[in-house]
Amino acid sequence: MGKSLIIVESPAKIKTLRKFLGPKYFFESSVGHIRDLPQKGLGIDVENDFEPTYVTMPDKKEVIKNIQEAAKKADIVYLAPDPDREGEAIAWHIASILPKGTKLKRTAFQSITKAAVQKSLENPRDIDMDLVNAQQARRLLDRIVGYKISPILTRKVKRGKSGTSAGRVQSVALKLVVDREKEIEAFLPVEYWTLETLLQPKDNPQSFSAFLYAVDGFKVEKEKGEKPCFLISDQKTADALVSRLKKAQYKVGEVDRKEKKRYPVPPFITSTLQQEASRHYGFSVSRTMSIAQGLYEGIDLGPDGSEGLITYMRTDAVNVAPEAIAAARQYIESTFGKDYLPDEPKIYASKKTAQEAHEAIRPTSLDRDPESIREYLTIDQYKIYLLIWRRFIASQMNPAIYDTVSADIETDQKMVLRATGSVIKFKGYLAAYEEKRDPSSTAEEDENGKILPPLVPNTPLDLKDLTSTQSFTKPPHRFTEASLVKELERLGIGRPSTYASIMNKIQNREYTTKEGQTLKPTELGKVICQMLEENFPRIMDVTFTAQMEDQLEQVADHNKNWKTLLADFWKDFFPLVEKAEKEASVPKVLTDLDCPTCGHKLQKIWSRNKYFYGCSNYPTCPFTAPIEAVDFKKEDYDPDFDWEQSCPNCQSPMVTRHGRFGPFLGCSKYPECKGIVNIPKKGEKVYNPADLPSCPALGCDGHLTARKSRFGKTFFSCSNYPDCDVIVNTLDQLEEKYNAHHQKTPYVKKKGFPRKGRGAKAAKEEPKPKKKAATKKKK
């Protein structure tokens, strides 16, 4: 038997596969896609049944050459890109460039282990054209939307070279972020008060807390809802209730004792792994997927060689192979005991759109527990592998069991209090793993650990303490990358393979920015979203986008023709494009502010990356001003600040200016003089220029000035910057960094200043003579 060629998608797998399969096989890698739609032009013949034009990617010519040469030497070629629709399409593209007559089969590795690889090679199949066509339909839809809408946005928004882009799923993700920000901005906090008592039974020294639950027959709520309720919305009401509670008599009313079970969650799929990695470690979606990719493709385990540690990481199915479930059950019994093992294996149901051929993300072998191979993993790899390991084991364990108690406390003042508590009786799966919650989770808080004394109805109680606490309702939380992925998945939008790229696109295009772990839309993002909603409402319709995903699933299931799907979409989409090319614009926003020049109303007008104020009476009144200048209020800043001070460089008058990092005083002779003074906010330390030392550079006539970094931190630099590059974070560093005796001084560009010193810019060297360009001799 001759040699077999295996073509994989990633070269990282080859080392692991070579160890398993030996010399009968040789390998090549496509390094991802080898063909795609052209970079210029639509690349789709709309008039010819939406026939795509695929071209060789510029950086893949050598890769294709190597694959073709290798295929000539092989008796059979196994196409083994990743086991998803993207991988199926890559296999199809590779098949199209192989020499005629090449014998080929499709095989896919759900995990990179010896048993899984050999089983896959023993059961090859043909390329699944339904999966290929589903990927083609998705790719062409995305190209049509991006190619037709993005130029319109770039022209209308006038953003310059950086441009703008729109995407079928990307734009909906942006809409979710923008809509959430609108909710936050429109949110009005509602005041509410919480009344808490500390009570003690007459015959028991153990006290416990109980909160006011109902007044005069109405349940106490934070804010008004559909049902009648009692609101404690101000201190006056709270004080009146406190007075009634102080003179009340207390006794135990109805006591409800229950056993509560908390069930384990399924093993990871792509989205849930991304969410948990964010909650536990603060990892971005793309970082998590990059780490998981390495664990799937293979890790060098020293004497054992390279092994794939997890199953394929782009999946939306929670299926698990029977042999893996059996191994998990054996591990649970031997590690935790029989009490933790269910009588029957747990089988989880995937959602209807999941690719059932896939497995959930799990360890490929339970013989390699995280601690035993920790020395071979990076810190990030260990963290992700530990999560996957624990979640998989926990998914096959018994539920945790709590004893919960809820007791109503009755009074003679027509007021009812409630005390709750729970104690964990059996840890169950929590002995292995506990899922973290998002900050925005609406799930009830666990009362675990809050133990109540034995409470018997009609037992009298003594009031030991009484507190009233003011609080305010909070707006909804901004999305994190993980919670946005969760929402997209809930709505049925996007695929496991697309979530990471969606997160990257809305951030790289500066449509959103990160504040901590949360996503906040930029002004540009809001403008793009508004333009798309006004001109392409169906593209921004969450329901429509989810329906398109369903239709793509129908293509994969051989229930819909992929070109019919494209034709139906184009029929409704193209008229909107034609209309938008003529009519689309960034709308001006009329405000309630009066123009300081003529008294007409100001309006917000978009320019490049942000709004500015302009008079609605333009062109009669040409008044314009930055948003920051009009909204600026001196009372927000240090009351002792000298607004009338002179320029520290040339003594000319200073004027208030506005930059990226806030307001500052700038020299009125700018750009001839670049003197500036930072304006401190209330409570911020003020540095008087007269109290700051002179610049230590020899020959420099400047002095140190306090400035702000883009992160809001104060630092000190020479007033002659950029001609002088003296800079320190604190004044204490001055002596250490720039010796007071000028033995070590920074290089200063100005003529006559010395060019030497620690931490300074290197002195310019004499220019070296240029070598003459070699000329080829004519034959």
Side-chain angles (χ1 to χ4, degrees):
M1 182 180 175
K3 280 195 170 185
S4 301
L5 172 64
I6 296 178
I7 303 174
V8 293
E9 191 174 326
S10 167
K13 298 176 187 173
I14 293 177
K15 180 181 177 181
T16 310
L17 293 171
R18 187 175 283 127
K19 186 194 82 166
F20 296 151
L21 300 175
K24 290 184 179 180
Y25 296 86
F26 63 115
F27 306 89
E28 288 293 338
S29 167
S30 69
V31 198
H33 281 275
I34 59 169
R35 299 197 311 168
D36 197 8
L37 298 171
Q39 293 181 348
K40 293 184 179 180
L42 180 61
I44 303 169
D45 190 346
V46 177
E47 303 299 326
N48 186 25
D49 198 22
F50 294 88
E51 190 64 29
T53 300
Y54 291 113
V55 297
T56 299
M57 298 173 75
D59 58 341
K60 294 299 176 69
K61 291 181 180 178
E62 190 67 25
V63 170
I64 290 175
K65 181 182 176 183
N66 293 339
I67 289 174
Q68 291 171 333
E69 291 298 320
K72 292 176 184 177
K73 303 173 187 176
D75 292 341
I76 185 171
V77 175
Y78 291 101
L79 303 174
D82 288 348
D84 56 12
R85 290 165 197 182
E86 206 76 17
E88 204 72 21
I90 291 173
W92 178 68
H93 283 296
I94 293 173
S96 71
I97 58 92
L98 293 178
K100 286 186 178 180
T102 300
K103 184 179 179 182
L104 58 87
K105 283 290 182 180
R106 168 74 167 127
T107 187
F109 306 137
Q110 296 291 342
S111 59
I112 311 297
T113 63
K114 186 173 183 178
V117 169
Q118 288 179 338
K119 182 179 178 181
S120 182
L121 290 171
E122 289 168 3
N123 299 278
R125 57 176 174 82
D126 295 329
I127 293 172
D128 188 332
M129 285 309 299
D130 290 326
L131 296 181
V132 173
N133 290 337
Q135 189 276 341
Q136 286 195 93
R138 182 182 296 277
R139 180 71 185 96
L140 268 61
L141 279 173
D142 292 343
R143 168 55 69 93
I144 289 169
V145 171
Y147 188 81
K148 291 296 183 182
I149 298 180
S150 296
I152 297 174
L153 294 178
T154 300
R155 287 197 304 272
K156 303 298 182 179
V157 175
K158 299 176 182 175
R159 199 174 171 224
K161 292 182 180 179
S162 57
T164 54
S165 73
R168 188 177 54 85
V169 178
Q170 159 198 328
S171 299
V172 175
L174 174 62
K175 171 183 166 58
L176 294 175
V177 176
V178 172
D179 286 350
R180 177 62 58 86
E181 194 68 19
K182 288 178 181 176
E183 289 181 55
I184 294 170
E185 291 171 352
F187 182 81
L188 297 175
V190 175
E191 180 183 2
Y192 68 95
W193 289 72
T194 305
L195 275 61
E196 179 182 6
T197 61
L198 187 65
L199 301 169
Q200 182 182 325
K202 296 282 188 182
D203 54 354
N204 192 319
Q206 183 184 350
S207 57
F208 63 95
S209 293
F211 292 86
L212 184 61
Y213 179 75
V215 177
D216 300 330
F218 295 102
K219 185 181 176 182
V220 174
E221 298 285 4
K222 294 179 182 179
E223 54 187 325
K224 194 172 183 179
E226 294 181 1
K227 295 181 179 179
C229 61
F230 190 92
L231 302 177
I232 312 175
S233 56
D234 53 46
Q235 187 169 359
K236 182 179 178 181
T237 306
D239 289 345
L241 294 172
V242 167
S243 298
R244 289 171 65 181
L245 287 172
K246 282 182 177 179
K247 58 186 179 182
Q249 297 295 317
Y250 300 85
K251 68 175 181 178
V252 179
E254 183 181 351
V255 179
D256 186 17
R257 291 183 177 86
K258 289 181 180 177
E259 186 179 86
K260 177 184 173 184
K261 290 184 178 180
R262 183 174 171 186
Y263 290 90
V265 286
F268 281 128
I269 59 176
T270 302
S271 60
T272 53
L273 174 60
Q274 291 167 346
Q275 290 159 34
E276 278 293 89
S278 174
R279 293 170 187 145
H280 282 265
Y281 309 128
F283 286 0
S284 68
V285 166
S286 57
R287 182 178 177 182
T288 299
M289 294 311 293
S290 175
I291 299 164
Q293 178 97 27
L295 294 173
Y296 162 71
E297 291 177 344
I299 299 295
D300 190 345
L301 300 178
D304 294 335
S306 187
E307 290 277 349
L309 297 182
I310 64 170
T311 53
Y312 191 56
M313 65 286 161
R314 294 188 183 93
T315 177
D316 53 3
V318 292
N319 309 318
V320 176
E323 59 269 23
I325 293 177
R329 288 176 60 80
Q330 185 178 352
Y331 179 88
I332 292 164
E333 184 173 358
S334 62
T335 305
F336 297 97
K338 287 188 176 181
D339 289 343
Y340 289 82
L341 186 68
D343 293 335
E344 299 291 334
K346 288 188 175 294
I347 307 299
Y348 295 94
S350 301
K351 59 182 182 180
K352 64 177 183 178
T353 57
Q355 297 184 49
E356 292 293 338
H358 287 180
E359 276 196 73
I361 304 170
R362 62 167 177 86
T364 54
S365 172
L366 295 185
D367 293 333
R368 291 186 288 269
D369 68 86
E371 293 306 320
S372 68
I373 61 171
R374 186 169 186 172
E375 62 181 302
Y376 304 110
L377 304 176
T378 66
I379 293 174
D380 285 358
Q381 287 172 340
Y382 171 75
K383 287 178 176 178
I384 294 298
Y385 186 56
L386 186 66
L387 271 184
I388 293 169
W389 173 280
R390 288 179 171 173
R391 174 99 166 206
F392 174 61
I393 294 297
S395 71
Q396 288 298 319
M397 295 175 72
N398 270 324
I401 301 175
Y402 296 84
D403 278 337
T404 64
V405 180
S406 175
D408 284 351
I409 310 300
E410 299 174 352
T411 71
D412 58 353
Q413 296 290 319
K414 295 185 178 180
M415 303 165 78
V416 177
L417 298 93
R418 179 162 290 181
T420 57
S422 69
V423 178
I424 190 163
K425 187 165 70 172
F426 174 67
K427 290 194 75 172
Y429 80 95
L430 294 176
Y433 173 83
E434 182 172 6
E435 188 178 39
K436 284 198 172 183
R437 291 174 177 168
D438 289 322
S440 57
S441 174
T442 57
E444 293 181 10
E445 294 184 7
D446 278 338
E447 294 290 343
N448 184 30
K450 186 176 176 182
I451 303 173
L452 298 179
L455 297 176
V456 179
N458 296 317
T459 301
L461 302 168
D462 291 332
L463 178 64
K464 294 296 182 182
D465 195 13
L466 174 59
T467 58
S468 61
T469 306
Q470 182 191 38
S471 302
F472 293 89
T473 55
K474 294 180 180 179
H477 290 264
R478 289 193 180 112
F479 285 111
T480 62
E481 283 190 10
S483 62
L484 181 55
V485 167
K486 183 178 180 180
E487 183 68 2
L488 288 170
E489 184 188 38
R490 185 187 71 81
L491 295 169
I493 296 171
R495 298 290 306 165
S497 59
T498 63
Y499 294 140
S501 63
I502 292 168
M503 298 303 115
N504 287 337
K505 284 177 182 176
I506 63 175
Q507 291 174 72
N508 292 342
R509 285 292 182 181
E510 298 179 3
Y511 296 164
T512 65
T513 185
K514 269 193 174 180
E515 288 193 358
Q517 293 293 318
T518 63
L519 295 170
K520 181 181 179 181
T522 61
E523 285 291 346
L524 175 63
K526 293 177 182 178
V527 166
I528 293 294
C529 187
Q530 183 179 3
M531 282 194 67
L532 289 173
E533 286 190 291
E534 290 183 359
N535 297 282
F536 300 96
R538 295 197 78 186
I539 295 297
M540 300 298 278
D541 185 341
V542 172
T543 302
F544 173 75
T545 306
Q547 288 171 350
M548 289 299 298
E549 294 290 341
D550 289 341
Q551 292 185 52
L552 289 168
E553 295 297 329
Q554 292 176 32
V555 172
D557 294 337
H558 197 62
N559 292 327
K560 191 175 184 69
N561 182 280
W562 69 287
K563 290 190 174 180
T564 301
L565 185 155
L566 292 171
D568 291 343
F569 176 80
W570 179 264
K571 180 180 64 177
D572 296 327
F573 174 72
F574 188 64
L576 296 176
V577 173
E578 292 182 309
K579 183 179 179 183
E581 285 177 336
K582 299 173 184 176
E583 301 176 7
S585 63
V586 181
K588 297 173 182 177
V589 182
L590 193 64
T591 73
D592 294 330
L593 301 174
D594 295 327
C595 173
T597 302
C598 70
H600 283 76
K601 294 298 180 184
L602 294 179
Q603 55 188 359
K604 290 169 70 175
I605 304 168
W606 180 259
S607 176
R608 296 178 69 84
N609 286 326
K610 61 181 181 179
Y611 281 105
F612 67 91
Y613 283 121
C615 184
S616 58
N617 196 29
Y618 179 85
T620 304
C621 176
F623 173 82
T624 62
I627 297 287
E628 300 84 0
V630 176
D631 294 344
F632 175 70
K633 297 177 182 178
K634 285 187 177 180
E635 53 265 31
D636 293 337
Y637 294 84
D638 183 20
D640 298 324
F641 182 72
D642 182 8
W643 296 91
E644 306 301 325
Q645 62 186 282
S646 301
C647 174
N649 291 356
C650 67
Q651 306 307 309
S652 298
M654 304 282 277
V655 294
T656 304
R657 303 186 189 278
H658 297 270
R660 290 175 61 195
F661 312 119
F664 63 93
L665 294 184
C667 183
S668 58
K669 289 190 175 180
Y670 178 86
E672 288 80 12
C673 176
K674 297 178 180 177
I676 67 167
V677 174
N678 285 321
I679 302 173
K681 290 186 176 180
K682 282 181 180 178
E684 193 175 322
K685 187 172 181 180
V686 181
Y687 293 93
N688 190 331
D691 297 335
L692 294 174
S694 300
C695 177
L698 285 175
C700 179
D701 58 358
H703 57 84
L704 291 191
T705 59
R707 302 180 189 272
K708 284 284 185 66
S709 74
R710 63 191 181 97
F711 302 108
K713 293 184 178 180
T714 300
F715 68 95
F716 303 90
S717 64
C718 181
S719 57
N720 282 331
Y721 176 85
D723 292 329
C724 177
D725 62 3
V726 169
I727 181 171
V728 288
N729 288 326
T730 66
L731 294 174
D732 296 336
Q733 294 178 342
L734 198 62
E735 178 71 19
E736 177 188 349
K737 191 172 182 181
Y738 303 108
N739 190 285
H741 298 291
H742 304 289
Q743 293 169 357
K744 297 172 181 176
T745 53
Y747 161 54
V748 179
K749 289 183 181 177
K750 281 189 174 180
K751 188 177 180 181
F753 287 9
R755 297 179 177 179
K756 59 181 180 178
R758 175 187 174 196
K761 297 177 183 175
K764 294 179 182 177
E765 298 178 359
E766 290 295 322
K768 295 179 181 179
K770 293 183 179 178
K771 291 182 180 180
K772 291 184 178 180
T775 55
K776 291 183 179 180
K777 292 183 180 180
K778 293 183 179 178
K779 290 183 180 180

